[in-house]
Amino acid sequence: MEELWPAPSREVADVIRSLCQRLLTETEAMVDAFARPSLLAQNDPALLADASLVEEDRELNRSDLVQWLTSNVQQPGRRVEPYVGPRTTAYINDLVCRGIAPDFAVAWRVALGIGWRRWLEECVADCCADPDLLVGVLDVTGKSLVQYALDSVAALGQAGLAAAMDNTDSEGIALIQLIASGAPMAEDLAEGRLRYRMARWHVGLVLWIDDPRQADALDEAVSAVRPAAGGRCALVARASATSRWIWLSGEAVPDLLHAANALAATDEVRAAVGRPGRGLEGFRSSHQGALAAQALVIRLGSDRRFTAYADVELIDALTKDRASARRFVVNTLGPLAEADPALRQALLTYVQCGFNTTRAAANLYAHRNTVERRVSRANELSAVKVEDNPAHVAAALLVLDIAPDIVAVHPG
């Protein structure tokens, strides 16, 4: 690439290299700082609603950061060429296919503001004893970062144009995207375009993987789930490189036992399922529930393989971010949050069984006296007593059941 400013002095270059080497060890913390704000700044509801795409957007932020830091280790203070690798290309293709057009310029402006402040802090801490050296470092890195942002936005735009020219199968997913977003749609039009009957019961599923290299396992899982609705009663859409949207339908509510058993056989693929619904509105609402369940699992850092929205709807309402979920659990359960899991399970089952110790013992395959002792001990440890607010206690226990490590304190 053409160089647009003079190379830095050796002293300036050494400082830049040292700072970038140190920040490479803190990549994840830096991405945490600007990934979410830059995503929200794009203000695209379709992007924000899809946890798989949100993860890909975060990965794009991470690759951009690593590219700039590693390039400045190798050639400090020079112009950095954007890296548009296979994963970024696949992400752009998915966005184009679904008619999603994020404002990458706005995202970069937000990320650049947060990243520049962090860079200033590092530079001042390292160079405060030498004002001339500090000015030299800030001068050249400011030019490098701004030019990198401009070049990156241009590269993403070119990738989007290339994807649009190559895309020949976007009509179906674009129509699904419209229906899912709540756009008015005639039922017969949707049926004709998608070749899928709407005037029946539907259950929406989201299948996804964490690693794009596991795509074969994802496709195998889709094939295994299809028979649950008898082949012609299933609709599958490629939502992204790492996720698939599926609808199963029938005159009666589709039985998901086959699908759950099929998915239990794989360690790579995870699934979320919405509440059943009928007609076009049921098609939409079940899908939105599945997306919400997927987003819940990802934001809480849960390793659950199969999640039904009906089981976690209350938790979704209480835990829109991991930090607030942790506060809710700690404030509600106190010492019980980090006590023996058997105590928490006994108390949760007891509440779910309508405070009936005999039923709870049967569900836990334990002696009634054992369950009574565990429930009593759990209630002693809990900050909020079950008799005072059983709904809060049960909800906090459910959060821990989904994300057992949420109360753990991680460095940084």
Side-chain angles (χ1 to χ4, degrees):
M1 299 183 73
E2 179 186 1
E3 294 294 349
L4 303 178
W5 56 88
S9 68
R10 180 176 178 179
E11 293 78 7
V12 168
D14 287 344
V15 170
I16 295 172
R17 181 180 292 110
S18 175
L19 289 173
C20 289
Q21 287 173 331
R22 184 162 72 242
L23 289 175
L24 276 169
T25 67
E26 303 174 22
T27 299
E28 294 307 318
M30 292 184 68
V31 173
D32 285 341
F34 61 72
R36 187 67 181 175
S38 66
L39 176 71
L40 294 174
Q42 296 175 59
N43 194 31
D44 193 309
L47 175 57
L48 292 170
D50 191 322
S52 292
L53 291 182
V54 168
E55 285 296 295
E56 291 306 300
D57 187 82
R58 177 187 170 84
E59 181 61 28
L60 176 60
N61 279 276
R62 184 182 182 280
S63 64
D64 284 338
L65 174 62
V66 170
Q67 173 72 355
W68 190 83
L69 291 174
T70 54
S71 295
N72 274 275
V73 169
Q74 297 163 2
Q75 294 182 303
R78 309 310 287 145
R79 187 177 182 183
V80 176
E81 184 169 1
Y83 173 68
V84 182
R87 187 165 182 176
T88 300
T89 301
Y91 174 53
I92 298 299
N93 287 340
D94 292 334
L95 294 177
V96 170
C97 185
R98 290 173 54 181
I100 300 174
D103 192 333
F104 290 119
V106 170
W108 256 103
R109 185 163 62 245
V110 172
L112 193 60
I114 297 171
W116 178 247
R117 180 178 177 83
R118 176 62 188 280
W119 182 253
L120 284 176
E121 291 170 351
E122 293 292 327
C123 291
V124 169
D126 197 82
C127 311
C128 59
D130 189 338
D132 291 336
L133 182 60
L134 175 61
V135 170
V137 171
L138 294 178
D139 178 46
V140 73
T141 54
K143 292 172 181 174
S144 179
L145 275 169
V146 170
Q147 190 60 48
Y148 182 54
L150 294 173
D151 290 339
S152 295
V153 171
L156 291 171
Q158 291 173 358
L161 287 174
M165 293 177 65
D166 292 340
N167 184 31
T168 59
D169 190 31
S170 61
E171 183 178 353
I173 189 64
L175 184 66
I176 290 172
Q177 185 78 53
L178 281 173
I179 297 171
S181 67
M185 180 74 59
E187 199 168 86
D188 57 350
L189 174 62
E191 287 187 348
R193 293 277 185 85
L194 298 176
R195 297 182 181 180
Y196 173 84
R197 290 184 61 188
M198 290 291 172
R200 50 172 57 198
W201 285 96
H202 308 276
V203 174
L205 298 95
V206 176
L207 271 57
W208 79 97
I209 50 177
D210 298 318
D211 187 342
R213 292 172 295 183
Q214 298 168 336
D216 289 345
L218 182 59
D219 292 334
E220 290 171 6
V222 171
S223 298
V225 168
R226 275 179 178 273
R232 292 181 62 188
C233 301
L235 176 65
V236 179
R238 183 187 186 280
S240 73
T242 58
S243 66
R244 302 290 184 269
W245 294 346
I246 302 177
W247 286 263
L248 306 178
S249 67
E251 294 302 330
V253 176
D255 184 359
L256 289 179
L257 180 61
H258 170 86
N261 290 338
L263 291 166
T266 174
D267 293 329
E268 296 89 1
V269 181
R270 300 204 274 172
V273 56
R275 292 180 179 274
R278 188 170 179 83
L280 191 64
E281 180 54 36
F283 177 92
R284 175 186 295 122
S285 64
S286 188
H287 174 64
Q288 290 172 336
L291 286 177
Q294 179 199 21
L296 168 73
V297 167
I298 290 176
R299 75 170 174 263
L300 293 185
S302 171
D303 60 0
R304 272 202 176 191
R305 315 310 299 178
F306 190 92
T307 305
Y309 188 59
D311 295 337
V312 299
E313 189 170 5
L314 174 61
I315 307 306
D316 182 46
L318 293 172
T319 60
K320 287 305 181 183
D321 64 78
R322 187 177 173 90
S324 65
R326 182 183 186 280
R327 285 194 299 272
F328 172 70
V329 169
V330 171
N331 291 340
T332 303
L333 300 182
L336 179 60
E338 299 184 84
D340 184 349
L343 297 179
R344 297 197 298 268
Q345 188 60 53
L347 184 57
L348 176 59
T349 305
Y350 173 68
V351 175
Q352 290 174 328
C353 289
F355 309 98
N356 187 310
T357 308
T358 302
R359 285 177 56 199
N363 285 357
L364 291 169
Y365 301 101
H367 193 279
R368 188 177 189 277
N369 291 343
T370 301
V371 172
E372 283 184 343
R373 286 196 302 271
R374 289 177 180 173
V375 167
S376 178
R377 178 57 179 157
N379 202 33
E380 288 176 9
L381 293 172
S382 182
V384 175
K385 306 307 176 187
V386 68
E387 62 270 19
D388 295 332
N389 198 330
H392 274 213
V393 171
L397 289 168
L398 281 170
V399 173
L400 271 181
D401 187 51
I402 295 168
D405 67 339
I406 198 166
V407 297
V409 178
H410 300 289

